[in-house]
Amino acid sequence: MSPVKAVLFDRDGTLVENVPADPDRVRPVEGAREALALLRRRGIRTGVVTGRPGVAGGPLTDADMRRVNHRVDELLGPFEVFAVCPHRPDDGCHCRSPQPGMLLWAGGRMCTGPAELAVIGSTAADAEAARRAGAHGILVPNGHTRPEETIRADHVAPDLLTAARALLDGPPKGRVLADERPIQQAFTTGP
């Protein structure tokens, strides 16, 4: 059994395409189903974390957010926990990344301490929140991840499946996590 007992995934841009309010447009990112299946087969719990500042001061309602989370759960679940920070950046909350509050709360809901928790996200704030919580953070860059975020991350994986594979035998090892596919497949974009 892996010393990593639970993995929290940032929702938008990491686990699913970035569609904050429309459940009909929720689409898993490439490799999401396979990554989740791999972890779950090993008995590693999975959860979702997301910052939704539009709930606190804008166009999103709590019901909108719950509908999107429900759709994510239908497509990729079941997840043990969904944790949401509804605050704006200037609210000074303890749960908005890079603060660790949401991760610690979600880990606690899964009965998992920080040393046994991994966080996979696509921003420096996700990686910093993991570090502050005492968890293992893996950055999976997407089209919105800035180069300086990738440079500062403790662990970087080229895709979600590689990030999940890196956790099967314990906490991530090395800064840039390697793809386990044969070299010809690792750099081929087609099926």
Side-chain angles (χ1 to χ4, degrees), residues 105-121:
W105 179 86
R109 295 284 299 192
M110 295 191 295
C111 300
T112 304
E116 302 167 326
L117 182 66
V119 178
I120 299 175

Side-chain angles (χ1 to χ4, degrees), residues 59-101:
L60 295 177
T61 67
D62 190 51
D64 293 332
M65 183 264 314
R66 277 190 265 119
R67 279 193 294 276
V68 171
N69 284 346
H70 179 73
R71 183 65 178 146
V72 171
D73 203 47
E74 284 178 335
L75 293 171
L76 298 170
F79 291 98
E80 293 199 27
V81 67
F82 274 84
V84 178
C85 171
H87 305 105
R88 295 181 309 240
D90 58 347
D91 286 343
C93 72
H94 70 284
C95 55
R96 183 177 175 79
S97 294
Q99 297 301 320

Side-chain angles (χ1 to χ4, degrees), residues 98-173:
Q99 297 301 320
M102 181 168 46
L103 304 182
L104 293 170
W105 179 86
R109 295 284 299 192
M110 295 191 295
C111 300
T112 304
E116 302 167 326
L117 182 66
V119 178
I120 299 175
S122 61
T123 68
D126 298 328
E128 180 61 21
R131 184 180 302 118
R132 289 180 183 186
H136 308 283
I138 299 177
L139 181 75
V140 177
N142 63 28
H144 300 287
T145 308
R146 296 185 315 268
E148 59 270 19
E149 292 179 290
T150 303
I151 290 168
R152 286 194 318 258
D154 290 336
H155 305 286
V156 179
D159 55 56
L160 209 51
L161 190 53
T162 300
R165 286 179 177 149
L167 296 171
L168 294 179
D169 295 321
K173 298 166 189 71

Side-chain angles (χ1 to χ4, degrees), residues 12 39 46 48 84 91 102 112 114 124 126 177 185:
D12 297 323
L39 293 169
T46 58
V48 177
V84 178
D91 286 343
M102 181 168 46
T112 304
D126 298 328
L177 305 174
Q185 290 177 356

